[in-house]
Amino acid sequence: MGDKEEGGDPRFQWVLRQVKSAYRNLNVDGSTFAPAEEDMILEFLDGSTITTLWFSESKGGLTVTSSTPANVKKGGDKTTGYLYMLKTSSDPVSESNYRDQLVVGDLTAGLTPLDHMARVAHEIYLPLITNPRNQEVWSEMVLKEVVESVNGFMANVQITQGQVEGMTCLPLPPDSDLMEVEEPVNGDLLETGVLPADVNEISANKERIHVLEGALITWTKQIKAVLKQDPEQLLKGASHPGPLSELDFWYNMSSNLNSIFAQLQSEKVRRVLRYLDRAKSTYTTPFGKLCKEMFQARARANSNHKFLKSLRPYFEDLESEMDFQNLATHFRPIMHLVLLVWKGSPYYNTPARLVVLMREICNTLIRQACKYLSGDRIFEMIEQEQSRQAVEMLRTTLRIFGQFKSTYFDYKAKANEEVPENKWSKVQNNAIFVRLDSFLERCHDILELTQTIMQFSKLAKIEVGGTKGKTLTVSVQQIHTDFQAAVNAFKGVPYDIMDVGAKQFDDDFYEFRCSIKELERRLGAVVSLAFDDCATVYGRFKLFDSFEGLLERPIIQDELEKKYVSLVQSYGLDLKIVQEQFLTSRDEPPKSVNAPPIAGALSWCRGLVERIQIPMRKLQELDRTILEREEAKEVHKVYKTIEASLQEYENQKIEEWGRDVEASSAAKLKLPLLVRHPESRHLTTNFDPALTKLLREVKYFLLLGLDVPKSARDIYNQVEVFRQWRCNLDLVVDANNEVLKILLPVEKPLLQSYLDKFDKTIEEGINKLNWTSSGVNEFIEIAMEQVQLVKEITQSMKDNLNNVNGIMEKWAKPIMERKPKPVDEEEFERNYKGLKATRYAEIREGGRDISSFLKETNKVLKVSNASVYWRDYVDFVNNIVIDGLAHVITVSLEYLLDQIDPDSIKKGNKLPMLEITLDLIGQEAKFVPDVGTTENGKGVRDRVNSWIGSFVLISTLVKRLDTPDGNFMREMHTDYDVGSLLAIINETLSENEAACDDLKAQFEEHSYLWTTDLPIYFKEFMDDAWFTTELDSRQLDLAKYKDAITKYESVKAKIQQLESPTDVGWLRVNTTPIKQSLVSLSGKWINMFTSRLKNYLVDKLTTLEDFMLQVKEGLEMEVSGGEGEETNKENLMEVMSNIRDVKKAMDVTQEMFQPLRDCISVLRDHGVDINDTMVKKHTVQDYLEDAPMHWDQVVKKTFQIKETILPLQMAEASTLKEELESFFLKMREYRNDFRANAPFNFSGPIEEAYGSLDQYANGLFEMERQASAYNEKEDLFEMNVSKYPEVSDTKQELRLLKNLWDFKAMMLSVHGSWKSALWSEIQTDKLEDENRKLLKTLRANGNDNAVIKGWNVYRDIENSIKDMAIVLPLVADLHHPAMRDRHWSMLAKICEVTEVNPHDPKFTFDDMIALNLHLHVDDVSECVETATKEKKIEDNLAKIESEWSNFELLYVPHKDTEMFVIKMVEEVVEALDAHQLELQTMIGLGKFVDHFRDKVLDWQQKLGNVQEVTKLWETVSKMWGSLESIFLASADIRSQLPDDTKRFEGIDGEFKELMKGACGTPNVLEACLVDGREEGLRSMKERLELCQKSLNEYLDVKKKIFPRFYFVSAIALLDMLANGTNPPKIIPYLGDCYDSLNDVRFVADPEKEGELSTKTVDLMIAKDKEKMPMFETFTMEGEVEVYLNNLTEHMRYTLKLWLRDGVEAGSAWDIGEADKRRHVWVKVYPAQVVCTGSQIYWTEETGASLEELEGGQEDAVKRYLATCKDRLAHLITLVLGDLERGDRTKIITLITLDVHGRDVVNKLITDKVESVGAFLWQQQLRFDFDPSNLDTNIKICDYKTKYFYEWVGNTGRLVITPLTDRCYITLTMGLRLFLGGAPAGPAGTGKTETTKDLARALALPCYVYNCSDQMSYLTMADIFRGLTQTGAWGCFDEFNRINIEVLSVVSAQLRAIQNALIYNKPSCDIGFGEIMVKRVAGFATCGFFITMNPGYAGRTELPD
């Protein structure tokens, strides 16, 4: 920037000057701008992207931006001014023309852009235009036009400025046209309105006058426009404004006129008026009058605004009121203020003003009413059957409007009284309320419409009974249909019916009324007919009730008036029946099962009273004149008599009970609180049943409103105290009994000290305290605390044991998996290794968890590890682990057996698991891999054994619990099941291997093809395939060759036909490789024979041809010269040789021709082509044909030559004999020399030995040559051939000796090459291999040739190799990397040398050999072992140190907060255990660890501390995380547990501070070894446990309120309580509380459009996705436990209503229209309603048919059986069609019930049952619906109960078999006797499902618990508390798995509950205080059932 500032860039200089000029207060220079701003300015000048720059002052400096500031866009900045600079185009700015290309301007602070434009136009452009110098070039016309345009533009700008501000702005003429007048002539025009005197000078300036008059005309138009405004104009439009429009009008009018007035008072306006006044302008006088009008209007507007503004807040509240019903609260304040305005305002007190204001108020009210209730909403509510609500809303609207008019009239009267001179009576009411009255009339019409619809809508659900019921019902339905048509026609109008402007409404509504009157006449006739058809008075009253509301309509009422007399008569007959019932049953009145005697009798009595009173009241309500008839008076007299009798009976019973109360002694309260069973030690709450009975009677008396004696009331006043005591004592008792019941014999001694302490505490309640004692609460509190401690310890121990069993179950799956298709062994092994590693890790982790659980149990029990009882318990758990591991192994073995067993493979149609290959490898047919075991362990059997080994190896993954170390391998090897499976697997494998061998045998049948040494075999064959002819010549045996070729061709064909691949059991064998090999071999064999024949043929003929040529040439040699010349001996010998050869070959050659011809034939027969085979340029065939002739010629010539040379031959034979004798002596001499002097025992240099051997070898060669020559001569001269054995013997020995010395030379060379090897390069393994090969080769030679072992040279070689074999292993050991300097020093001492330095780069193998290591073998080995062990320790320590330097703790975010909590990485946990184990192992290594002992001990301490701290840390993190959201986020818990909240807040602060500091230290060691960390975490853990304990006690309180909380996990319950005010977060847990209810649907929020409510629901959703709409919406508000209780009741009430409707609709199954048939009805109602309703009708119809049978209709039951079959057939047809999933399940369930019902009816017929009292009928589950109270009574045998109405959803039902019936009878009889049920039988036989199915039939929630030996009496107590208080059933599956000790406590708990049921107690105590017993209509519904699998392992025999 500096360069630019100093003058480089003129453009930048110019920009800088402009900025300096604009901001003189700032020191602007080149350094003012930031680098980015400088770049922006340069881009602006040089680039094309930036076209504008904005400069502004900010914080004492300048800022530059290229975008328009936001406040400039919005209309200017009041505080900030801007300097803008823009380019005229987007091109770069040139340095020469920048002034023309840049435009600069500013926006002054405080001005809008419009203000700025006005100022620029006025101060810049106007002076420029009016400057005379600028006008010189313009003509006068142009000048005038320009000036006028500019003035007009400026005037428009000023007007627009005013309009923007909501004001009228009077535009001023240009300043040049304004002239000052020294003095006014006649005063100010604005003041006087009189024109001034004539002034010629002013008048002469016409142009200026014209301009000013134009301005005046504009002002006049503007002012008149303002004065014309009237608020009443708004009412004439269609917008119907509210009162705020009136207030806004006067506010705007006032502001506008005040603005005009201020402008008129300005100096410039006055100057204009004075100028025109002096100019005598004709416009000034009218303008003066207009100004006076304006002043008056201004005064009026200001006054009205002043008085009306007080109404604004009230009108705003009126228009914004959201609750329509609150509108009335606004009326009086508004009217009061209106009256005050009327009284006080000088202008706003006229009828016109009041009418406008009131009409606008009415508009607002109408608008609010339409918003409150629109026409569409009315129709919508009608469609949703909410007509009643619509009626109420319409009535509310009429009431509010009536209140408004009443308020107005009140204030009108008040105004007339207080302002008599200006009364409101002048105002016409219809002028004010014309639109309101129209709206009210419309509301009345719509009210009538809605009421009519509401009344007639009842017809849709009305079904008329009686003989004519079907016809009448159809008529009613038709009337309803016609009514619906009329309603739908009216709904279809094209306007909003609430719109008073819709005039068509009157016509449409009139037509609707006419239609309704006609329907009323029709309905009256139907009701009259139905009345006549009713047989009973109650039926008639019920008929009238059905048509309630409709009967009041005049037309219908006239029709029914004559029917009332008959009604009175019917009532009289019913009174007599009541009287008779009373007299008959007064001594033994019927009562509810659970009702006390007296209260039950009184309830029956009051029932009779109600039966006679209700009809009487209804008669009185119908018409008073009816009761004035004589017959009615007689009926009334009977009514009074019966009523008096019933009242007398009631008084008598009350008196009797009062006497009995005195007999109930208060001494019952003196009984002790508790009693203990002497044997089982179980406790029982000792509250006398007589007291319970008394309290129940008092309770019912009070409910009936009867007086109770004081003594009884005094006892009853303490009922809540007794209830709490009993509940709490029951809790204590149950907890104690449960603990005693669930404790195993091995567990009880561990808890004995805690049990003894509890027994000591409870002794006071057994011997001292009674129900009137003081201190009971304190006793209960102490006992509860003690028993809770015992329960918690027991539960913890049981939980840990359950966890161990859970781990065992989790392990119980096969370790291996197979692919669906065969795979090769390598692929299978890869997959198996991955799966095995995963399962091993899982089992290893489980083992650690088991140890952890056992440690946790020990910690909870606080017993010594050395305790005998603890050791017994450890053994017990250890045995569980043994069983679990054995099970894992057996499961895997069974899976393996299933895969390899042939029967399993065949049964499952499985493919083989592995694929192997059968191939020819070497000289053997082998499986690849081998099917058996192999040395390298890679056979299939080896692989299977490795799998089995990996199964069994599982036992080594889990650490034993009963010993510090060791595993379970021994137990697994001795396990019977494991051993049996191994034996079966081995047997199966052996069988499969045998099958594989059989397959291989098929190929080994041809093993000779590869096992036979082909050259040797063929040589032997060729040797054998000869035959000797008669001429003693050898010829080929062609028959053998032919047979051999044929044989191998058949072998080849047979091999090709073998199958490939072949499945052998679980193996697929690929035999293709061996097939290919054998086919190739067989072809090779065939070729071998054919080639032999072919070659033999060619060789024979070629040899013959060569022989004949040789003979011809030899016979032609010259033997003797001429006469006197010596015989040529060489030629003679040659000729004799040829003659000999021909003579020998003569016969043989002639004999061979035919065999050769046969040979050609054989070759051709076997497909061998010989046409291209040549012999001396002739084909074989041709040559063979000519050969005999050529041979005959040679023989003939030979004999001719022989006769010629015979004399010469005889002369040479004598000389040869002498030479032979001399050669024999020479041979004998050579042999003796060799034996004496050859190097057999020589020990000298090798070179000398080799020299001697060479010498003897040369001599032997010469001897052989000479012997061969002499033998040849002997044969030639036909002499005997001599033998020379010395030659062969010497040759053999010389060869052996030479080989031995070669071996020694090679051995010395090899050993010598080793010595020069450097120490670091020695490869001892390789050297040892070579040395072993040398020794092996030497000994093999000695074995083959035993003679050499006696030679010294052999023994020397053997000793050298043995010495080296000793040295090499020691050298290998000394190469170990563990060798340190201390170890080399030890070696030097052993070898007695000064030092051994292998680090010397020149140290070689020869140096090590020099140490004579073979003399110190043991010492050297010990030295190496020490080094190795120390190296292992060193490496392990280094590894531990390295890993722990990198191990880091994982800090994870806590939920969605910035807080982090610790999470242990699995790698760290595993390393911690492994490293501690390694360190312990190191310590046990004795002398080998001495060098590292201190370091090992240090690491042991560190890792021990880390383990303890991380365990504490994780525990604290989890506890803090689970409690944080509860204590810090739940207001309810904070208020309920203030002390614990405060305690937790302190922990929270400490923990967060700890985590804050820890997050910066990720390393595990650094984080865990901080001073004081362990103590701090331990302290936090102890305090968190206190918080948790308090929280649990708080949860118990919540569970008592909503007992279903007992079925929810603690975590879920805490979440529910924390989110109790947010119901959507509670919904996910509904499924845990209810049998079926799983979800609800939230309705739309009326206050938030488009959003759902978070509290109100209208539909329930089951777990099976069935949906059930609620009849009323339900709001979830308040405490979660309270509204969940309400939701439960709402669920039951909804189900009752659905069942009521379903039962009512079911009456038309067989008589209604097609759409009301049963198979249609099924789809309409929920599954539970369908099933229960069908059962109700089946019960009713079956009973009725039996009654008809008893009455004489013999085919009644058979007819009903046909009905049952017909209904069933319809359902079957339905289920065969397309159905939705829910409907299909529902219908199948109904079919199940119908089939059972049909079978029962059929059996009734078969067994000839004749009455409803027959046991076959009584044993059925029968349902009876009571419409009066919507109860459903259920009976089976003598068991009675009420339908519980728990929603069970669409879950299906079991098929009901005879066994199911018997189970139902047995279980219900158990309930009848206040007992439970215990179905027993093998697993999977339906014990639990039958119990659940019976519960579903009764609509009872049934909770199933899978029992185990981990369940404690505390667990059972919680379950019993939940079941008893909920009234639910509990089914305890495999109950006998619970420990016998726990069962003993459970029995006491159950006995306490059963006693409460037997004695009808309202509560019971199972050891933890009183709990209420849930009853429905007096019936206790809770039940307890157990199912057991007798004889199974781990099951307890239940005690008697």
Side-chain angles (χ1 to χ4, degrees), residues 83 343 383 455 529 588 634 667 777 932 937-938 981 1034 1116 1145 1172 1221 1273 1283 1333 1535 1702 1784 1799 1838:
L83 172 70
K343 292 165 62 177
E383 290 176 356
Q455 293 169 351
L529 291 173
E588 293 183 2
E634 183 64 28
N777 287 327
K938 294 185 178 180
L981 286 170
R1034 296 179 67 204
E1116 293 176 357
D1172 57 346
E1221 185 66 25
K1273 289 180 179 182
K1283 302 295 184 182
K1333 290 178 182 178
S1535 62
R1784 182 171 297 278
D1799 294 344
D1838 60 349

Side-chain angles (χ1 to χ4, degrees), residues 663-706:
S664 297
S665 176
K668 301 287 186 181
L669 296 175
K670 299 296 185 180
L671 296 174
L673 297 177
L674 300 171
V675 293
R676 186 193 292 278
H677 193 280
E679 297 178 1
S680 66
R681 304 292 293 169
H682 285 190
L683 297 173
T684 304
T685 305
N686 191 26
F687 194 78
D688 195 272
L691 291 174
T692 304
K693 180 179 178 183
L694 172 64
L695 294 174
R696 292 180 65 239
E697 290 283 7
V698 174
K699 177 182 177 181
Y700 279 94
F701 264 60
L702 294 177
L703 290 174
L704 293 171
L706 300 175

Side-chain angles (χ1 to χ4, degrees), residues 1796-1990:
H1796 176 254
R1798 180 202 62 190
D1799 294 344
V1800 170
V1801 175
N1802 189 51
K1803 190 167 181 59
L1804 292 174
I1805 297 171
T1806 304
D1807 291 1
K1808 298 181 180 180
V1809 173
E1810 296 181 352
S1811 70
V1812 294
F1815 180 72
L1816 182 58
W1817 173 241
Q1818 292 294 319
Q1819 74 175 10
Q1820 303 302 321
L1821 199 61
R1822 309 186 304 283
F1823 294 76
D1824 179 28
F1825 181 70
D1826 186 353
S1828 63
N1829 54 14
L1830 303 182
D1831 280 350
T1832 300
N1833 301 307
I1834 302 175
K1835 301 177 183 177
I1836 178 170
C1837 296
D1838 60 349
Y1839 173 72
K1840 301 177 182 178
T1841 188
K1842 295 285 186 180
Y1843 197 68
F1844 193 76
Y1845 286 103
E1846 175 81 11
W1847 188 27
V1848 299
N1850 189 9
T1851 55
R1853 294 283 296 278
L1854 293 180
V1855 174
I1856 304 175
T1857 64
L1859 176 60
T1860 310
D1861 278 335
R1862 290 196 292 274
C1863 289
Y1864 284 0
I1865 295 170
T1866 305
L1867 295 178
T1868 52
M1869 287 305 97
L1871 295 173
R1872 173 68 181 84
L1873 299 173
F1874 305 106
L1875 300 173
T1885 53
K1887 303 181 295 298
T1888 302
E1889 289 303 319
T1890 301
T1891 306
K1892 290 170 61 180
D1893 194 62
L1894 179 58
R1896 290 195 187 103
L1898 305 181
L1900 278 164
C1902 181
Y1903 297 92
V1904 179
Y1905 298 93
N1906 294 316
C1907 299
S1908 70
D1909 52 4
Q1910 301 301 306
M1911 297 183 74
S1912 66
Y1913 76 96
L1914 298 175
T1915 306
M1916 299 298 290
D1918 278 344
I1919 295 173
F1920 291 153
R1921 284 187 285 180
L1923 296 175
T1924 305
Q1925 295 180 88
T1926 305
W1929 283 9
C1931 184
F1932 300 89
D1933 195 17
E1934 299 192 51
F1935 187 70
N1936 50 347
R1937 291 187 65 181
I1938 301 176
N1939 293 330
I1940 187 65
E1941 295 83 355
V1942 178
L1943 289 176
S1944 63
V1945 182
V1946 171
S1947 65
Q1949 294 169 340
L1950 281 173
R1951 174 53 59 190
I1953 298 173
Q1954 289 169 351
N1955 287 339
L1957 300 178
I1958 293 170
Y1959 299 112
N1960 205 16
K1961 297 179 182 179
S1963 62
C1964 63
D1965 187 350
I1966 59 173
F1968 300 93
E1970 291 284 328
I1971 58 172
M1972 300 304 297
V1973 178
K1974 175 73 174 182
R1975 286 181 169 84
V1976 177
F1979 293 93
T1981 59
C1982 62
F1984 309 94
F1985 304 89
I1986 61 176
T1987 59
M1988 297 177 288
N1989 300 324

Side-chain angles (χ1 to χ4, degrees), residues 1101 1160 1164 1170-1171 1173-1175 1177-1188 1190:
L1101 294 177
I1160 292 175
R1164 285 178 174 172
I1170 61 173
N1171 292 329
T1173 304
M1174 309 296 290
V1175 176
K1177 300 182 180 180
H1178 299 279
T1179 64
V1180 171
Q1181 184 70 37
D1182 295 340
Y1183 186 86
L1184 184 57
E1185 291 177 358
D1186 297 337
H1190 294 305

Side-chain angles (χ1 to χ4, degrees), residues 336-353:
H336 182 71
L337 286 175
V338 170
L339 178 58
L340 291 178
V341 171
W342 181 272
K343 292 165 62 177
S345 174
Y347 298 104
Y348 209 87
N349 56 2
T350 62
R353 297 277 68 79

